[in-house]
Amino acid sequence: MDSNKLIAFLVIVVTLLLHGNNYTVVEAQLSQGFYSSSCPLLLPIVRTAVTSAVAFDPRMGASLLRLFYLDCFVNGCDASILLDDTSSFTGEQNAASNHNSARGFNVIDNIKSAVERVCPGVVSCADILAIAARDSVVTLGGPRWRLNLGRRDARTASQAAANSSIPAPTSSLSQLITSFANLGFTAREMVALSGAHTIGQAQCRNFRTRIYQETNIDPTFAATRQQNCPITSGSGDGNLALLDSLTPFVFDNSYFRNLMSQRGLLHFDQVLFNGGSTDSIVREYSQNARVFRNDFAAAMLKMSQISPLTGSDGEIRMSCGRTN
Ligand code: HEM
Ligand SMILES: *[C@@H]1O[C@H](CO)[C@@H](O)[C@H](O)[C@H]1NC(C)=O
């Protein structure tokens, strides 16, 4: 073999090895610096956009946090919830928990457009949603957690999986514990994550039964909520109430103080403090804001890493509402 042929042979061998590595041996993982050279402006762009979206609509921080949770609980944080339905495709946006309820899609689309202008084809919608949720909490005074990036976007979505993975607001404590355990969370982490209801709003249809029929509710609180949520199903279904009326736009531990005084808005909320095994955790978080902040941040980091698509799985969507 002459030297030119030898070099050509070595190039082929090395290429095959690297190629093989990419696809089989090295399992790509999320990392903090994933976009530090490919899109250094990513974090400031998202932070600025989230801050102004929340300034324009104070509820938006809550909506972006929830959107991320609704995405992560269905086959991982892969932006599946962002895929719009079409005549030939049914995604997650009209699943039971999301229909007429999940919001913030426009904000994510706008951030994606801004990011595409500076680093086209590089940053996934799944990562943009993960950063936007974190920044929303920080903007509202909550804790910051580490952002590991490098998620890729799903090529599909599942309405059936969304219906079965996202717990209903009528769930019992044991159903909640099971739903979260299915994704690897302890009961304590479930309670910490539920502290997200220290911000945001819910529709009358989701708390009507609680304020008219349940007995583990503060009567004054129930009467106040009844004023804007008619007893008859079908009227005022979409009327909104604050999940935490003490400090609705501050990410603090007052959600747990509400539960201690039977002022949880959703059936699901009060279930966490109703004589069961999670009472002691609720009491602890209500008394110690610091412990709640730390536990919430740790649980969010964990949630943000539920089965991400990495390496060559999935794709980097051009537009968050549809696959490439
Ligand atoms: C444990 C089971 C959970 C149930 C049953 C539940 C249920 C609900 C329901 C029914 C609403 C009101 C939706 C509406 O009326 O349109 C809501 C709102 C909200 N949820 Fe949850 N949730 C749960 C867990 C979580 C978690 C883990 C997070 C985030 C980490 C979260 C964040 C939020 C936020 C921020 C809102 C307010 C959204 C807005 O104002 O746009 N929830 N949740
Ligand atoms: C999911 O739930 C919604 C609302 O209850 C229902 O209309 C839809 O048919 C369900 N989808 C699947 C695939 O089960």
Side-chain angles (χ1 to χ4, degrees):
M1 216 186 269
D2 67 29
S3 64
N4 278 346
K5 279 185 181 155
L6 180 62
I7 288 169
F9 173 74
L10 287 175
V11 166
I12 290 169
V13 169
V14 168
T15 307
L16 283 174
L17 282 174
L18 288 177
H19 193 266
N21 258 355
N22 268 341
Y23 290 94
T24 57
V25 183
V26 176
E27 204 199 329
Q29 293 192 331
L30 304 180
S31 63
Q32 263 182 295
F34 192 82
Y35 298 110
S36 54
S37 56
S38 60
C39 196
L41 287 176
L42 172 62
L43 292 175
I45 289 174
V46 180
R47 184 173 60 235
T48 308
V50 168
T51 313
S52 63
V54 172
F56 181 73
D57 169 9
R59 185 185 173 194
M60 191 48 73
S63 303
L64 292 171
L65 173 60
R66 180 167 189 242
L67 197 56
F68 184 52
Y69 152 70
L70 295 172
D71 181 35
C72 294
F73 264 52
V74 185
N75 297 322
C77 314
D78 59 0
S80 53
I81 193 172
L82 302 180
L83 291 177
D84 297 325
D85 284 7
T86 68
S87 53
S88 58
F89 170 78
T90 303
E92 294 165 17
Q93 289 178 11
N94 290 309
S97 50
N98 306 345
H99 178 68
N100 279 338
S101 176
R103 59 198 294 276
F105 297 99
N106 288 344
V107 172
I108 297 299
D109 287 344
N110 290 340
I111 298 175
K112 173 69 171 174
S113 306
V115 171
E116 284 298 300
R117 279 195 288 276
V118 290
C119 3
V122 169
V123 182
S124 67
C125 297
D127 277 338
I128 288 174
L129 183 53
I131 304 168
R134 197 277 307 263
D135 289 355
S136 293
V137 171
V138 172
T139 299
L140 298 172
R144 174 181 286 275
W145 56 90
R146 198 172 71 238
L147 274 175
N148 291 329
L149 302 171
R151 293 167 192 78
R152 291 167 64 86
D153 299 322
R155 290 205 173 89
T156 185
S158 168
Q159 188 178 81
N163 280 354
S164 63
S165 310
I166 300 166
T170 50
S171 302
S172 67
L173 182 58
S174 67
Q175 285 169 330
L176 286 168
I177 291 175
T178 305
S179 302
F180 278 69
N182 287 341
L183 292 166
F185 293 105
T186 63
R188 186 178 174 92
E189 288 168 331
M190 185 269 287
V191 176
L193 287 172
S194 305
H197 288 186
T198 184
I199 52 175
Q201 305 178 19
Q203 304 174 59
C204 168
R205 73 176 93 238
N206 285 320
F207 58 83
R208 177 181 283 122
T209 309
R210 169 150 174 76
I211 60 173
Y212 286 103
Q213 293 178 29
E214 296 187 354
T215 51
N216 61 348
I217 188 167
D218 173 85
T220 313
F221 174 71
T224 309
R225 286 291 163 262
Q226 286 169 6
Q227 285 169 13
N228 194 37
C229 180
I231 191 165
T232 316
S233 174
S235 73
D237 281 2
N239 292 1
L240 292 168
L242 299 166
L243 283 162
D244 167 20
S245 43
L246 290 175
T247 52
F249 301 105
V250 181
F251 197 101
D252 57 11
N253 66 339
S254 55
Y255 171 74
F256 299 103
R257 287 187 279 133
N258 288 328
L259 297 186
M260 301 278 298
S261 49
Q262 300 200 311
R263 289 163 175 249
L265 182 62
L266 304 171
H267 171 81
F268 141 76
D269 292 317
Q270 200 59 56
V271 141
L272 301 179
F273 189 81
N274 193 38
S277 61
T278 50
D279 281 17
S280 57
I281 309 169
V282 170
R283 189 174 297 109
E284 182 183 354
Y285 288 158
S286 76
Q287 290 164 351
N288 195 330
R290 224 179 119 95
V291 173
F292 166 58
R293 284 174 73 87
N294 289 337
D295 284 6
F296 182 80
M300 284 301 299
L301 176 64
K302 185 167 174 178
M303 187 178 90
S304 76
Q305 296 182 166
I306 298 176
S307 48
L309 296 171
T310 56
S312 58
D313 293 340
E315 63 182 21
I316 303 297
R317 262 178 234 157
M318 293 299 157
S319 166
C320 294
R322 57 180 182 273
T323 57
N324 294 342

